[in-house]
Amino acid sequence: MRCLFLTGLSLLVLLVGAPAWALDPARKVDEYTISRWTMEDGLPHNLVHAIQQDADGYLWTGTWEGAARFDGRRFTAYDAGTVEGLEIEGVRAIAPHPQGGMVLSLGRVGPGVVRFHQGRWQRLPGRAGTLPDVSVLRYGPDGVLWIGTDHALFRREPSGRLQEIESTHARLANERVLAILPLPDGRALVGNRHGLFRIDRGRATEWGREVGLPETSVLAVQPSRWGGLLVGGSAGVWRLEHGRAQQITGDRVEAMLEDRNGNLWVSTLDGLRRYTHGRYETLGERDGLMGRLAPALFEDRDGLLWVGTTNGLYRISDGPVFGLGRSNGLRDIYVRAIIERPGQGVWIGHPMGVDAWQAGQSRAVSLAFDGKSDPSVLSLANARDGGLWIGTYDQGVIHLPAAAADAQAKPWRLDESGGLPSNHVRALLERADGSLWIGSNEGVTVYRDGRIVRHYDADDGLPEGNVYVLYETAQGVLWIGTSNGMAMMRRDGTVRRWTPMSDFPAVAVFDFLADADGSLWIASDRGLLHWRGGTFVQFDHRQGLPNNRLFRLLEDDNGDFWVSSNRGVFRISRPALTAVENRHLKRLPVEAFTHADGLPSSQANGASAPAGWPMRDGKLWFATANGVGVIDPDDARLQRTQGVTLVIESVEADGRVLPLQARYALAADLRRVVIRFTGLNQRAPERLRYRYRMVGFDRDWVETDNGIAHDAVYTNLPSGKLRFEVQVMNAPADWSKTEGRVTRSVELDKAAPWWLRAWAMIAYLVLLGLLGWGVLLLAMRRHRHRQHRLQALVDARTSELSDKNAQLEQAGEANAQLLEQLAYQARHDPLTRLANRRAGDAFLAEALDTSRREGRPLCVALLDIDHFKAINDRYGHAFGDDVLSQVAALAEQGIGHHEGVLIARWGGEEFLVCQQLPWSIARARLEVLREGIAQASIDAPDGGRLRCTVSIGVAELEAGQDLRDLLRVADERLYRAKQQGRNRLVAG
């Protein structure tokens, strides 16, 4: 019978569904992450009595000053001043109600048992609602609530009937109930200071003694996954199985829990112990678990362990990140360099030297020799001989022999006394040819075959400043990152340098990572750079990086990048980088891991090499300012797929909290709506990302990652049907994907104000129609009146415009005549009315262009009146002007009227004759003109008759001549005509 009873308990454990998540049993307890919350974070009191979780995923805590509901980042406190009509304080017991909500016990002020469900508080009906000093609450599989107080035991049926278990056993009478375990068959096990009792149909038997449990105070009892029962109390922990009791520990137990992996967790005076395979590890004050442990110990649905102490609420988690620090044996936590050595564990460099981490243990490695103490270590590099190269702050380079080498082998040092330019070494690289390349604040030094063979500095093309990293590609190209740019050294020794902010978009370079295609990824102080095809693509805060200063760049087995910074370690997927680089995506979905996720510090260290290392087991180790950060990329990938519960916490209308429901009818005069929501993921609540919108009001989604206040506030919403939608995802949130995205919605129906209702709208239309008719009549009357006035005005304006037009036409004709006169005056000589010299020049230029273009002949003649000065002297200038006018008239009459001929006054008594005619014709016409002038007589002022003669020089355009040459020839021939006696034409 006893065996069947214990078997039933084991089945009860297996029937309770457990999520896939649980604390990783393969980790040591000091590799778990411990987080703490106190009154400063929202707890009503630091002493936590009870911890439970409701169906939504909220964590509930009971304290002296009330209860608190926790969504992973924010506490909602319920205390004496929170709930009207209830004094919520002294909460010692909490249990989830089978039909939803939580049941809590209250203290001595307004004692009893209350239920919280759908945002409302209510005492349990009947006597249960006022029971004092309730210490234990447990629901059985049959829905029966077992209530333990400081003086009695009660059984409450689902119907509400409360039954006090009569004191059928002397050791139960007036005793405080410490533990209750309801059984599947309706019975229960009850523990008090005398032992363990079984309650069957209202009768109690001292069942603990029957199965071999010694007389002891029982504080906890639960079924075990391995079979039987676990009982904990003042005498330790016992396993009850097959009718006998087997002691696990003899130390006093305050609380006890077997997790879903079968590990036993026990709260003792020295801390929290985990028992596995007969051995235990302890989490205590050195690990951050402070205060005296209370009876509150709980495993949530995500497999996390929650512990209540006198110093607050603690969460023990095994996320993808954990840290190693002083509690793990590191001598110094300001880690600068990390490297994995084949068969020798992980070696960690820091200001006190080097520590070796192997098989979960840390040991100090002595680097003190030659009278010098352990140096501050900046860089590490594996040596081909199995040893280790160590770069130091001020002792140069140390070579540490392999552990398995000859016992006589000793460490040795290469420093300034041996020719090293500087003892400050931040980067080391042993290349394939066995040479050691040393990066310091003086450049790069090459050490080979026991001596320094070469040194490179600014004179060789390297940037000035500290060398931070040395990186060799598979093609044998050496990349050098410094505090002042970077350089590439080809296999032939030639160097190319990139200068900050000129041909290089960054200043300091901390790490390199080459791709198979020959491109290079660069961690810099200006973000992540991609060098490909001779150009740089920059990824920084503008593309979504939380921080621009990046240190160590590693690649996991899945091809994703992990890069450390002063704001944690970032995971960046390769496809996302490609999408942003090709402008298919605007921002990178970056996943950040910080101190909140388990890193010893969000501040990573850089400017030393290597500041992180990809381990053979796939984990990534990073150097931080507070120890070593260890990240498991596979666990991180699994964490991103963890389910999230999204809850609408409350809906407020103008400050009044409305009952939770799917649809809300809102008043027309409502001015402000506040909808509070939260996503429940106790494992990584800070990684949740939200977006929301009010369909019918918002144009687009509003994104937020504010982990403290998840409120959507709307004012002056329009009337009609609205729908509030909110979504949550684990970071990095890719909203285009439905996987992992959870959506909740709330329907709102806001009434229209009376002036927008149907009858009001009909009245508006009628009034509007009447008003429109009246306005139309008035408008027509005014229109006719304006029409008459307008017609009169138009007639008057038309008459005025006609007068103005006539005046304008007259003025236009006068202006045209004036313009014609001015144009004529501008091109004609006022005395002779021949073309003036300006017109002659223009005609000559046009004739020359036509002659050259079309091959037409061009002849130019200069004609001068003979003895004209004598005429002026004898008869006066007035008569001289008459002579000029009559000679001009004779010339115009003789040949000027022919096409292609121009006669112009060239100056004084000289005239230009331009003919676009063959030479023989032009010459003959000029000869006729000369003779005609000579035969003409002019009436002189003295009554006599005056005969005038002219001399003419003529020239024909020849090939290669310009106008100046042509006129010069004509002028020379005119001069010869004068010399030869005048009144003649010279043509050659």
Side-chain angles (χ1 to χ4, degrees):
M1 185 70 181
R2 195 173 292 148
C3 180
L4 290 174
F5 168 67
L6 294 177
T7 302
L9 291 177
S10 299
L11 288 173
L12 173 64
V13 176
L14 296 175
L15 287 173
V16 177
W21 282 91
L23 292 180
D24 184 359
R27 290 192 187 181
K28 301 184 67 174
V29 295
D30 56 10
E31 293 180 0
Y32 294 144
T33 300
I34 298 179
S35 305
R36 177 192 179 198
W37 292 269
T38 66
M39 292 177 64
E40 284 71 25
D41 303 300
L43 267 178
H45 193 274
N46 281 344
L47 175 55
V48 178
H49 295 295
I51 307 172
Q52 276 292 339
Q53 192 171 31
D54 65 18
D56 288 327
Y58 288 105
L59 200 76
W60 287 77
T61 59
T63 75
W64 279 125
E65 295 297 334
R69 188 180 68 174
F70 186 48
D71 66 2
R73 303 193 74 175
R74 179 181 58 176
F75 287 95
T76 302
Y78 302 101
D79 52 28
T82 302
V83 183
E84 185 178 354
L86 287 178
E87 295 284 340
I88 301 180
E89 51 84 34
V91 179
R92 297 161 61 192
I94 306 176
H97 194 285
Q99 297 176 357
M102 301 297 285
V103 175
L104 293 79
S105 68
L106 303 185
R108 291 186 175 274
V109 180
V113 180
V114 297
R115 180 187 180 191
F116 178 86
H117 185 50
Q118 293 184 347
R120 294 182 177 182
W121 290 90
Q122 186 179 11
R123 287 186 182 273
L124 293 188
R127 185 183 172 193
T130 57
L131 283 176
D133 303 323
V134 175
S135 57
V136 183
L137 292 170
R138 293 289 186 272
Y139 276 97
D142 53 2
V144 172
L145 174 62
W146 293 83
I147 305 173
T149 74
D150 289 347
H151 310 286
L153 175 68
F154 297 87
R155 183 178 186 273
R156 185 178 185 270
E157 300 286 347
S159 63
R161 187 175 71 89
L162 184 68
Q163 175 191 3
E164 183 176 357
I165 305 300
E166 297 180 358
S167 300
T168 57
H169 198 289
R171 290 175 177 262
L172 279 177
N174 200 31
E175 290 287 346
R176 177 184 176 188
V177 177
L178 300 175
I180 300 175
L181 176 62
L183 302 175
D185 57 5
R187 295 179 292 179
L189 297 179
V190 178
N192 67 10
R193 68 187 181 94
H194 296 297
L196 185 63
F197 300 84
R198 182 173 64 188
I199 310 300
D200 186 3
R201 297 181 180 87
R203 296 182 60 83
T205 58
E206 202 165 351
W207 187 77
R209 284 192 175 186
E210 294 179 13
V211 297
L213 186 70
E215 182 175 345
T216 180
S217 175
V218 174
L219 301 174
V221 56
Q222 75 170 93
S224 172
R225 289 179 172 273
W226 308 112
L229 277 176
L230 293 170
V231 179
S234 59
V237 178
W238 299 78
R239 182 183 298 277
L240 305 183
E241 190 174 16
H242 304 303
R244 63 189 182 88
Q246 177 185 0
Q247 190 173 33
I248 297 175
T249 177
D251 295 329
R252 176 182 174 85
V253 172
E254 297 294 335
M256 178 188 68
L257 181 146
E258 187 182 71
D259 67 23
R260 49 185 69 119
N261 283 320
N263 300 302
L264 179 63
W265 296 83
V266 177
S267 296
T268 66
L269 295 177
D270 63 346
L272 183 64
R273 296 180 183 176
R274 183 185 71 177
Y275 285 85
T276 306
H277 305 304
R279 303 178 62 183
Y280 73 84
E281 300 171 89
T282 303
L283 283 172
E285 291 190 358
R286 74 186 187 97
D287 304 294
L289 189 61
M290 311 297 293
R292 185 180 178 87
L293 273 64
L297 184 60
F298 179 75
E299 183 185 27
D300 70 11
R301 67 186 188 185
D302 295 321
L304 304 177
L305 209 61
W306 297 84
V307 184
T309 78
T310 56
N311 285 34
L313 175 67
Y314 291 83
R315 182 188 68 191
I316 301 173
S317 62
D318 63 340
V321 183
F322 64 91
L324 302 176
R326 284 198 174 93
S327 63
N328 305 98
L330 293 185
R331 289 178 295 162
D332 197 300
I333 56 176
Y334 197 79
V335 178
R336 302 307 301 265
I338 302 172
I339 196 169
E340 186 176 23
R341 302 185 67 193
Q344 300 183 54
V346 182
W347 289 53
I348 303 166
H350 49 66
M352 293 186 67
V354 171
D355 291 334
W357 178 269
Q358 193 170 19
Q361 301 290 329
S362 176
R363 65 179 177 87
V365 178
S366 176
L367 300 178
F369 65 98
D370 291 345
K372 294 185 178 180
S373 61
D374 282 307
S376 176
V377 173
L378 296 178
S379 54
L380 300 169
N382 284 319
R384 298 180 67 188
D385 61 5
L388 182 69
W389 297 104
I390 303 171
T392 70
Y393 183 82
D394 57 3
Q395 293 187 24
V397 179
I398 295 174
H399 179 269
L400 196 65
D406 186 356
Q408 301 298 321
K410 296 182 179 180
W412 52 272
R413 180 181 290 107
L414 174 65
D415 57 15
E416 292 177 1
S417 63
L420 193 66
S422 173
N423 284 341
H424 188 80
V425 177
R426 290 181 176 267
L428 294 167
L429 174 67
E430 185 172 299
R431 303 187 72 177
D433 61 1
S435 60
L436 177 67
W437 292 65
I438 305 166
S440 69
N441 56 350
E442 295 294 336
V444 177
T445 305
V446 184
Y447 177 83
R448 184 190 298 115
D449 299 329
R451 64 188 183 90
I452 293 175
V453 298
R454 185 75 162 85
H455 179 71
Y456 297 90
D457 55 21
D459 293 338
D460 301 290
L462 293 186
E464 295 181 347
N466 278 307
V467 175
Y468 289 156
V469 60
L470 299 169
Y471 181 85
E472 185 177 18
T473 67
Q475 294 76 28
V477 176
L478 180 66
W479 291 89
I480 304 166
T482 77
S483 60
N484 192 37
M486 72 176 196
M488 173 184 67
M489 184 177 295
R490 304 176 183 87
R491 298 187 66 176
D492 60 4
T494 58
V495 175
R496 179 183 176 183
R497 176 174 60 191
W498 283 269
T499 304
M501 310 314 291
S502 58
D503 55 352
F504 184 56
V507 177
V509 171
F510 300 103
D511 205 4
F512 298 105
L513 186 63
D515 272 346
D517 62 1
S519 65
L520 189 73
W521 295 90
I522 305 164
S524 76
D525 62 345
R526 297 296 190 274
L528 182 64
L529 310 179
H530 191 195
W531 183 79
R532 184 175 63 177
T535 60
F536 292 95
V537 177
Q538 185 176 14
F539 302 88
D540 57 15
H541 64 279
R542 294 167 294 184
Q543 286 76 37
L545 283 180
N547 188 245
N548 286 345
R549 195 174 185 86
L550 307 179
F551 299 131
R552 184 62 164 139
L553 178 60
L554 300 178
E555 185 177 13
D556 66 16
D557 295 337
N558 197 45
D560 290 339
F561 283 159
W562 295 78
V563 57
S564 62
S565 75
N566 282 327
R567 293 187 181 176
V569 177
F570 311 142
R571 184 194 71 86
I572 312 171
S573 73
R574 283 291 197 106
L577 285 167
T578 302
V580 172
E581 187 168 350
N582 294 332
R583 299 185 178 180
H584 298 152
L585 190 67
K586 290 184 178 180
R587 292 179 65 82
L588 291 169
V590 178
E591 189 174 11
F593 294 85
T594 65
H595 180 64
D597 298 289
L599 280 178
S601 172
S602 295
Q603 176 188 328
N605 281 333
S608 53
W613 195 264
M615 301 300 166
R616 295 184 179 183
D617 61 3
K619 292 184 175 65
L620 308 176
W621 290 41
F622 289 95
T624 81
N626 199 36
V628 177
V630 181
I631 299 179
D632 188 331
D634 291 335
D635 280 356
R637 197 171 299 112
L638 183 62
Q639 177 176 275
R640 292 194 295 275
T641 64
Q642 184 184 10
V644 181
T645 301
L646 181 57
V647 178
I648 302 294
E649 290 191 312
S650 66
V651 177
E652 291 184 9
D654 285 340
R656 181 171 59 91
V657 178
L658 304 178
L660 291 175
Q661 54 196 47
R663 181 181 294 273
Y664 293 87
L666 305 178
D669 58 350
L670 179 72
R671 304 184 67 84
R672 190 171 188 265
V673 174
V674 179
I675 303 176
R676 292 189 171 87
F677 53 87
T678 190
L680 296 172
N681 175 1
Q682 297 289 356
R683 181 172 290 273
E686 66 284 341
R687 309 191 69 75
L688 298 180
R689 299 294 179 265
Y690 301 86
R691 68 174 185 171
Y692 63 86
R693 66 179 177 181
M694 184 71 75
V695 179
F697 183 76
D698 288 325
R699 292 185 177 180
D700 204 352
W701 291 94
V702 179
E703 294 191 25
T704 174
D705 59 357
N706 184 352
I708 303 303
H710 307 141
D711 299 340
V713 181
Y714 291 95
T715 58
N716 299 321
L717 285 173
S719 58
K721 295 185 182 300
L722 303 167
R723 185 175 69 255
F724 175 77
E725 294 179 346
V726 59
Q727 295 180 342
V728 65
M729 288 189 78
N730 286 308
D734 185 353
W735 299 109
S736 64
K737 297 181 179 178
T738 58
E739 182 182 0
R741 188 180 69 196
V742 182
T743 304
R744 290 289 179 270
S745 63
V746 175
E747 301 291 336
L748 305 173
D749 190 356
K750 186 179 179 184
W754 66 264
W755 58 85
L756 292 179
R757 294 176 185 173
W759 63 267
M761 300 302 294
I762 294 174
Y764 295 154
L765 291 175
V766 172
L767 291 175
L768 186 61
L770 293 175
L771 180 62
W773 179 253
V775 170
L776 179 61
L777 293 177
L778 180 60
M780 291 176 63
R781 180 179 177 184
R782 296 182 63 185
H783 175 71
R784 286 194 296 270
H785 180 66
R786 283 200 305 268
Q787 193 77 7
H788 292 308
R789 293 181 58 190
L790 182 61
Q791 186 61 45
L793 184 61
V794 167
D795 292 343
R797 290 287 188 267
T798 302
S799 176
E800 292 178 5
L801 288 174
S802 297
D803 296 341
K804 294 293 184 183
N805 286 338
Q807 295 175 7
L808 289 175
E809 289 178 0
Q810 294 175 0
E813 292 175 357
N815 288 336
Q817 292 175 358
L818 178 60
L819 290 174
E820 290 178 1
Q821 182 179 356
L822 291 175
Y824 180 85
Q825 292 176 355
R827 298 181 59 86
H828 289 78
D829 178 54
L831 177 62
T832 63
R833 298 187 181 275
L834 294 176
N836 58 19
R837 184 158 185 165
R838 178 185 298 172
D841 287 339
F843 185 87
L844 277 176
E846 184 178 355
L848 177 65
D849 181 66
T850 301
S851 178
R852 288 175 175 173
R853 185 176 64 252
E854 300 178 3
R856 294 177 61 181
L858 177 61
C859 297
V860 176
L862 290 178
L863 182 150
D864 187 82
I865 300 175
D866 295 331
H867 305 293
F868 185 72
K869 184 178 183 303
I871 295 173
N872 275 336
D873 291 343
R874 180 177 178 183
Y875 298 106
H877 288 282
F879 180 71
D881 290 342
D882 289 341
V883 172
L884 286 173
S885 296
Q886 292 193 42
V887 170
L890 290 172
E892 181 68 22
Q893 181 181 358
I895 63 173
H897 59 279
H898 293 288
E899 183 181 356
V901 177
L902 174 74
I903 302 175
R905 185 179 179 187
W906 201 242
E909 68 274 22
E910 193 173 47
F911 298 88
L912 170 71
V913 181
C914 179
Q915 300 181 80
Q916 291 177 294
L917 297 171
W919 170 256
S920 59
I921 297 175
R923 178 177 176 182
R925 287 185 176 180
L926 288 172
E927 190 64 48
V928 171
L929 175 61
R930 182 188 65 77
E931 292 176 354
I933 294 173
Q935 294 173 4
S937 62
I938 301 173
D939 294 332
D942 58 0
R945 302 287 292 178
L946 177 66
R947 292 185 183 273
C948 289
T949 62
V950 294
S951 299
I952 303 174
V954 61
E956 183 182 19
L957 179 66
E958 297 178 356
Q961 277 187 325
D962 57 13
L963 288 179
R964 180 177 296 180
D965 292 337
L966 184 60
L967 291 171
R968 178 181 55 77
V969 172
D971 190 60
E972 289 176 352
R973 291 176 179 176
L974 172 62
Y975 183 73
R976 292 214 312 268
K978 293 285 188 180
Q979 285 182 331
Q980 293 175 10
R982 296 181 176 84
N983 190 22
R984 66 189 63 240
L985 183 148
V986 176

